[in-house]
Amino acid sequence: MAYANWDFYNRTWRGSMTAQAFERWSARASLEIDRATQGRAATASESMRDALALCCCELADTMLQQDEAAIATGGGNVAGESVDGYSVTYRGGAETGSLQDTADAARLHICRKYLCRPVNLLYTGVQP
């Protein structure tokens, strides 16, 4: 279940993805939300619906950008760049974990931005 639909993405978020691309990435973003909230987002109160939709839209955009960056760099980080001769060197292999860690941290930051108020869906302690 996606937490945002195409109409919300297009009219409220004003995103730039096509409907087909948004369908793909919003499904993945919704899975990321479910993972971050340990499934509590699916049963969240009505007061969290807009926050969930906004989070889904931003995650979908970010995940698309991260995917495009990974494809463009072959999954590596830029290790060096020269301006005059336009030479770019990418890190790869064992160092690609840092790229994944950076992407994971960015997605968690987005979840924190939206999913802590008015109900903290990211809370992992004992519920009263």
Side-chain angles (χ1 to χ4, degrees), residues 18-106:
T18 65
Q20 184 178 8
F22 178 73
E23 183 177 325
R24 175 181 182 212
W25 288 105
S26 67
R28 291 179 181 194
S30 296
L31 288 173
E32 185 74 18
I33 290 169
D34 287 338
R35 186 183 66 76
T37 64
Q38 298 179 354
R40 287 186 297 275
T43 59
S45 65
E46 190 63 33
S47 64
M48 290 299 292
R49 293 300 163 199
D50 284 344
L52 284 163
L54 290 168
C55 185
C56 183
C57 291
E58 187 167 346
L59 278 173
D61 281 344
T62 299
M63 293 170 82
L64 171 62
Q65 291 168 359
Q66 290 170 344
D67 188 58
E68 289 173 344
I71 290 169
T73 63
N77 290 325
V78 175
E81 192 167 358
S82 172
V83 175
D84 286 338
Y86 186 73
S87 172
V88 179
T89 306
Y90 297 100
R91 290 184 202 136
E95 298 170 340
T96 59
S98 64
L99 181 63
Q100 184 62 44
D101 292 343
T102 302
D104 289 345

Side-chain angles (χ1 to χ4, degrees), residues 84-124:
D84 286 338
Y86 186 73
S87 172
V88 179
T89 306
Y90 297 100
R91 290 184 202 136
E95 298 170 340
T96 59
S98 64
L99 181 63
Q100 184 62 44
D101 292 343
T102 302
D104 289 345
R107 292 191 302 268
L108 182 57
H109 176 74
I110 292 167
C111 289
R112 284 185 182 138
K113 184 169 33 171
Y114 293 104
L115 303 181
C116 292
R117 287 182 204 90
V119 176
N120 189 352
L121 295 176
L122 300 177
Y123 180 70
T124 58

